[in-house]
Amino acid sequence: MTQQYAATDIGPPHYFERMPQICQDNYFKWEYHEKIKPGVYMHHGPAGDVYTVRVGSPRLLSIESLRWFAGLADKYCDGHFRFTTRSSIEFLTPNKENVDKIIEEVEEYGFPVGGTGNSLKTLLHTQGWVHCHSAATDASGTTKVVMDELYDYFKRDDLPAQLKISMACCLNMCGAVHCSDISFVGIHRTLPRVLDEEVANSCEIPNLVASCPVGAIRPNPKKKSVTINEEKCMYCGNCFSVCPALPIANPDDDGLAIFVGGKVSNTRKGPSFSKLVVPYIPNEPPRWPTLVKTIKMLVEVWVENARPGERYGEWVERIGWEKFFELTGLEFTDKHIDDFTFSVKTFRSTSNFKF
Ligand code: SF4
Ligand code: SF4
């Protein structure tokens, strides 16, 4: 099968070459799968059964942990393990008797087994803390403290439905916060500061103007710099990425917002975007207590009130947003109303609240 792909030194090898033999033999012939217990799936095909043990990961893994996982894969899985799109680690084996041995060793090493069925999946987060310019908070730190609090939800699968939580450290949002059950996003709340002299000396004005997604930047030829339209700016920080003379980070005002109700899948109801429920929580490193408490409360209220099978957004849609704010005790403010006044003065896309 793989011979049709030319060997090159560009990119990874073709995925088929890296599949366990049993998966290659069952490729495109799978018949059914079932969940054996939390964290374990069995997939059946004509070439035999494959057992998958799913393990939660903190996403940033040390070389030591990776070597340990590789060793476990050598021992029980003919050298194979894989990462899911949500950064869980999966061990695949055709031998049923290996399943409990893998679980025992993984738990002894200190990682949780779970994340299958109606459970909390491994949290997704972006990486602004490591490399990015526009981050308004620490992605890895906030995600760790939230996951620490929700750890047990990963290991149980008795939630109303699956629960996906995502984090992005700025509005540019290279994660999945627009379509997750619960999301938290780093936000700036003040305009970039225009350091005219440095802009003139170090930034390309056309590039800078083009970097703004809402057209808020205009050239200022007198100063060989730019001006920013305060009404239009949404504090995304994209301009700072192309011009360091427009710093936007502000420790006193940056923080996080929380969204709920998004999903990608087309099951039951179509995909939906996440919606804002908490406009601002301050940055409170190292443990972000207000953020953690609020997300835990949002999970608990959903677990307590949703019907079996209802994803977060489906639950809110059934009970109505008014009831959601009542049950959660969150404050409803003008910030919750979509109101793009800079483009159309009177446009409101959500006018039917009954408060
Ligand atoms: Fe960078 Fe924003 Fe992505 Fe974070 S969310 S890594 S700051 S683009
Ligand atoms: Fe435009 Fe974003 Fe810069 Fe504001 S912060 S001027 S919206 S690029």
Side-chain angles (χ1 to χ4, degrees), residues 210-241:
S211 74
C212 180
V214 293
I217 301 177
R218 285 285 170 269
N220 180 355
K222 277 189 196 156
K223 294 186 174 174
K224 295 188 177 166
S225 178
V226 294
T227 57
I228 295 179
N229 182 331
E230 192 169 350
E231 289 291 303
K232 286 187 174 183
C233 177
M234 59 177 184
Y235 319 125
C236 69
N238 209 33
C239 49
F240 179 60
S241 293

Short mmCIF file of all heavy atoms in Angstrom, two decimals, residues 210-241:
data_model
loop_
_atom_site.label_atom_id
_atom_site.label_comp_id
_atom_site.label_asym_id
_atom_site.label_seq_id
_atom_site.Cartn_x
_atom_site.Cartn_y
_atom_site.Cartn_z
N ALA A 210 -2.06 46.01 7.38
CA ALA A 210 -2.70 44.79 6.90
C ALA A 210 -2.88 43.75 8.01
O ALA A 210 -3.70 42.84 7.89
CB ALA A 210 -1.86 44.19 5.76
N SER A 211 -2.15 43.89 9.10
CA SER A 211 -2.21 42.87 10.16
C SER A 211 -3.49 42.96 10.99
O SER A 211 -3.82 42.03 11.71
CB SER A 211 -1.01 43.01 11.10
OG SER A 211 -1.17 44.14 11.94
N CYS A 212 -4.18 44.07 10.91
CA CYS A 212 -5.35 44.26 11.79
C CYS A 212 -6.59 43.65 11.16
O CYS A 212 -7.02 44.07 10.08
CB CYS A 212 -5.58 45.74 12.06
SG CYS A 212 -7.00 45.98 13.14
N PRO A 213 -7.21 42.67 11.84
CA PRO A 213 -8.37 42.00 11.23
C PRO A 213 -9.62 42.88 11.13
O PRO A 213 -10.54 42.56 10.41
CB PRO A 213 -8.63 40.80 12.17
CG PRO A 213 -7.92 41.10 13.43
CD PRO A 213 -6.82 42.06 13.12
N VAL A 214 -9.65 44.01 11.86
CA VAL A 214 -10.85 44.85 11.81
C VAL A 214 -10.58 46.23 11.21
O VAL A 214 -11.39 47.14 11.30
CB VAL A 214 -11.47 45.01 13.22
CG1 VAL A 214 -12.01 43.70 13.73
CG2 VAL A 214 -10.47 45.58 14.21
N GLY A 215 -9.44 46.39 10.58
CA GLY A 215 -9.13 47.65 9.90
C GLY A 215 -9.03 48.84 10.86
O GLY A 215 -9.45 49.95 10.51
N ALA A 216 -8.49 48.62 12.05
CA ALA A 216 -8.44 49.71 13.03
C ALA A 216 -7.16 50.55 12.92
O ALA A 216 -7.05 51.58 13.56
CB ALA A 216 -8.54 49.14 14.45
N ILE A 217 -6.20 50.09 12.10
CA ILE A 217 -4.91 50.79 12.03
C ILE A 217 -4.83 51.62 10.75
O ILE A 217 -5.13 51.12 9.66
CB ILE A 217 -3.75 49.77 12.07
CG1 ILE A 217 -3.82 48.94 13.36
CG2 ILE A 217 -2.40 50.47 11.98
CD1 ILE A 217 -2.77 47.86 13.46
N ARG A 218 -4.47 52.87 10.92
CA ARG A 218 -4.32 53.77 9.77
C ARG A 218 -2.92 54.38 9.81
O ARG A 218 -2.39 54.64 10.89
CB ARG A 218 -5.37 54.90 9.82
CG ARG A 218 -6.76 54.43 9.44
CD ARG A 218 -6.86 54.23 7.93
NE ARG A 218 -8.07 53.56 7.52
CZ ARG A 218 -8.21 52.23 7.37
NH1 ARG A 218 -7.21 51.43 7.63
NH2 ARG A 218 -9.35 51.70 6.98
N PRO A 219 -2.34 54.65 8.64
CA PRO A 219 -1.02 55.30 8.63
C PRO A 219 -1.10 56.72 9.21
O PRO A 219 -2.14 57.38 9.10
CB PRO A 219 -0.66 55.36 7.14
CG PRO A 219 -1.58 54.43 6.45
CD PRO A 219 -2.82 54.34 7.28
N ASN A 220 -0.04 57.15 9.85
CA ASN A 220 0.08 58.51 10.36
C ASN A 220 1.34 59.10 9.73
O ASN A 220 2.43 59.08 10.32
CB ASN A 220 0.19 58.47 11.89
CG ASN A 220 0.32 59.85 12.50
OD1 ASN A 220 0.42 60.85 11.77
ND2 ASN A 220 0.31 59.92 13.82
N PRO A 221 1.22 59.59 8.46
CA PRO A 221 2.42 59.97 7.70
C PRO A 221 3.26 61.05 8.38
O PRO A 221 4.48 61.05 8.27
CB PRO A 221 1.84 60.50 6.37
CG PRO A 221 0.43 60.02 6.33
CD PRO A 221 -0.01 59.82 7.73
N LYS A 222 2.60 61.93 9.15
CA LYS A 222 3.38 63.01 9.79
C LYS A 222 4.46 62.45 10.70
O LYS A 222 5.56 62.98 10.80
CB LYS A 222 2.43 63.90 10.62
CG LYS A 222 1.73 64.95 9.81
CD LYS A 222 1.00 65.89 10.72
CE LYS A 222 0.01 66.69 9.89
NZ LYS A 222 -1.08 67.20 10.69
N LYS A 223 4.12 61.36 11.40
CA LYS A 223 5.09 60.77 12.34
C LYS A 223 5.75 59.53 11.79
O LYS A 223 6.48 58.83 12.49
CB LYS A 223 4.38 60.43 13.65
CG LYS A 223 3.88 61.63 14.41
CD LYS A 223 3.32 61.21 15.76
CE LYS A 223 2.96 62.42 16.59
NZ LYS A 223 2.29 62.08 17.83
N LYS A 224 5.45 59.20 10.54
CA LYS A 224 5.93 57.94 9.94
C LYS A 224 5.53 56.77 10.84
O LYS A 224 6.29 55.82 11.03
CB LYS A 224 7.44 57.97 9.72
CG LYS A 224 7.85 59.02 8.71
CD LYS A 224 9.30 58.87 8.38
CE LYS A 224 9.65 59.89 7.30
NZ LYS A 224 11.04 60.08 7.10
N SER A 225 4.34 56.90 11.40
CA SER A 225 3.86 55.88 12.34
C SER A 225 2.41 55.53 11.99
O SER A 225 2.02 55.66 10.81
CB SER A 225 3.97 56.44 13.77
OG SER A 225 3.50 55.53 14.71
N VAL A 226 1.63 55.09 12.97
CA VAL A 226 0.22 54.73 12.72
C VAL A 226 -0.65 55.29 13.84
O VAL A 226 -0.15 55.67 14.91
CB VAL A 226 0.03 53.20 12.67
CG1 VAL A 226 0.73 52.58 11.49
CG2 VAL A 226 0.46 52.54 13.98
N THR A 227 -1.97 55.31 13.60
CA THR A 227 -2.93 55.59 14.67
C THR A 227 -3.87 54.40 14.77
O THR A 227 -4.05 53.65 13.81
CB THR A 227 -3.77 56.85 14.38
OG1 THR A 227 -4.43 56.65 13.11
CG2 THR A 227 -2.93 58.11 14.35
N ILE A 228 -4.47 54.23 15.94
CA ILE A 228 -5.41 53.12 16.13
C ILE A 228 -6.78 53.68 16.48
O ILE A 228 -6.91 54.53 17.36
CB ILE A 228 -4.92 52.18 17.26
CG1 ILE A 228 -3.61 51.52 16.84
CG2 ILE A 228 -5.97 51.10 17.56
CD1 ILE A 228 -3.01 50.59 17.86
N ASN A 229 -7.78 53.20 15.76
CA ASN A 229 -9.15 53.62 16.01
C ASN A 229 -9.69 52.85 17.23
O ASN A 229 -9.93 51.65 17.17
CB ASN A 229 -10.00 53.33 14.77
CG ASN A 229 -11.44 53.79 14.95
OD1 ASN A 229 -11.96 53.84 16.05
ND2 ASN A 229 -12.07 54.12 13.82
N GLU A 230 -9.88 53.57 18.31
CA GLU A 230 -10.26 52.94 19.58
C GLU A 230 -11.61 52.23 19.48
O GLU A 230 -11.83 51.20 20.11
CB GLU A 230 -10.30 54.01 20.67
CG GLU A 230 -10.40 53.42 22.03
CD GLU A 230 -10.17 54.45 23.14
OE1 GLU A 230 -9.75 55.58 22.82
OE2 GLU A 230 -10.43 54.08 24.29
N GLU A 231 -12.52 52.80 18.68
CA GLU A 231 -13.86 52.19 18.54
C GLU A 231 -13.79 50.83 17.86
O GLU A 231 -14.59 49.95 18.13
CB GLU A 231 -14.74 53.12 17.67
CG GLU A 231 -15.14 54.40 18.35
CD GLU A 231 -16.11 54.13 19.49
OE1 GLU A 231 -17.16 53.53 19.23
OE2 GLU A 231 -15.80 54.49 20.63
N LYS A 232 -12.83 50.69 16.96
CA LYS A 232 -12.76 49.44 16.20
C LYS A 232 -11.91 48.37 16.87
O LYS A 232 -12.17 47.18 16.72
CB LYS A 232 -12.18 49.70 14.80
CG LYS A 232 -13.14 50.40 13.86
CD LYS A 232 -12.51 50.44 12.48
CE LYS A 232 -13.48 50.99 11.45
NZ LYS A 232 -12.90 50.97 10.12
N CYS A 233 -10.86 48.75 17.58
CA CYS A 233 -9.89 47.78 18.10
C CYS A 233 -10.55 46.77 19.03
O CYS A 233 -11.34 47.13 19.90
CB CYS A 233 -8.78 48.52 18.84
SG CYS A 233 -7.58 47.39 19.58
N MET A 234 -10.23 45.49 18.83
CA MET A 234 -10.78 44.45 19.71
C MET A 234 -9.67 43.84 20.58
O MET A 234 -9.84 42.77 21.14
CB MET A 234 -11.49 43.38 18.91
CG MET A 234 -10.61 42.68 17.89
SD MET A 234 -11.53 41.38 17.07
CE MET A 234 -10.25 40.66 16.05
N TYR A 235 -8.54 44.51 20.67
CA TYR A 235 -7.45 44.15 21.60
C TYR A 235 -6.89 42.75 21.33
O TYR A 235 -6.53 42.03 22.26
CB TYR A 235 -7.93 44.23 23.06
CG TYR A 235 -8.81 45.42 23.37
CD1 TYR A 235 -10.06 45.25 23.94
CD2 TYR A 235 -8.37 46.71 23.11
CE1 TYR A 235 -10.87 46.33 24.22
CE2 TYR A 235 -9.17 47.81 23.39
CZ TYR A 235 -10.42 47.61 23.94
OH TYR A 235 -11.22 48.69 24.21
N CYS A 236 -6.82 42.36 20.05
CA CYS A 236 -6.37 40.99 19.76
C CYS A 236 -4.85 40.84 19.86
O CYS A 236 -4.34 39.76 20.07
CB CYS A 236 -6.85 40.57 18.38
SG CYS A 236 -6.05 41.45 17.03
N GLY A 237 -4.12 41.95 19.67
CA GLY A 237 -2.66 41.88 19.78
C GLY A 237 -1.97 41.42 18.51
O GLY A 237 -0.75 41.25 18.48
N ASN A 238 -2.73 41.24 17.45
CA ASN A 238 -2.12 40.76 16.20
C ASN A 238 -1.08 41.74 15.67
O ASN A 238 -0.04 41.35 15.13
CB ASN A 238 -3.22 40.53 15.16
CG ASN A 238 -2.85 39.46 14.19
OD1 ASN A 238 -2.18 38.52 14.55
ND2 ASN A 238 -3.27 39.61 12.95
N CYS A 239 -1.36 43.05 15.84
CA CYS A 239 -0.42 44.06 15.34
C CYS A 239 0.93 43.97 16.06
O CYS A 239 1.97 44.19 15.47
CB CYS A 239 -1.02 45.46 15.47
SG CYS A 239 -1.71 45.80 17.09
N PHE A 240 0.88 43.62 17.34
CA PHE A 240 2.13 43.49 18.10
C PHE A 240 2.98 42.35 17.54
O PHE A 240 4.21 42.39 17.60
CB PHE A 240 1.81 43.26 19.58
CG PHE A 240 3.03 43.08 20.44
CD1 PHE A 240 3.98 44.08 20.54
CD2 PHE A 240 3.23 41.91 21.14
CE1 PHE A 240 5.12 43.92 21.33
CE2 PHE A 240 4.36 41.73 21.92
CZ PHE A 240 5.31 42.74 22.02
N SER A 241 2.32 41.33 16.98
CA SER A 241 3.07 40.21 16.40
C SER A 241 3.94 40.66 15.23
O SER A 241 4.98 40.09 14.97
CB SER A 241 2.11 39.12 15.89
OG SER A 241 1.45 38.54 16.96
#
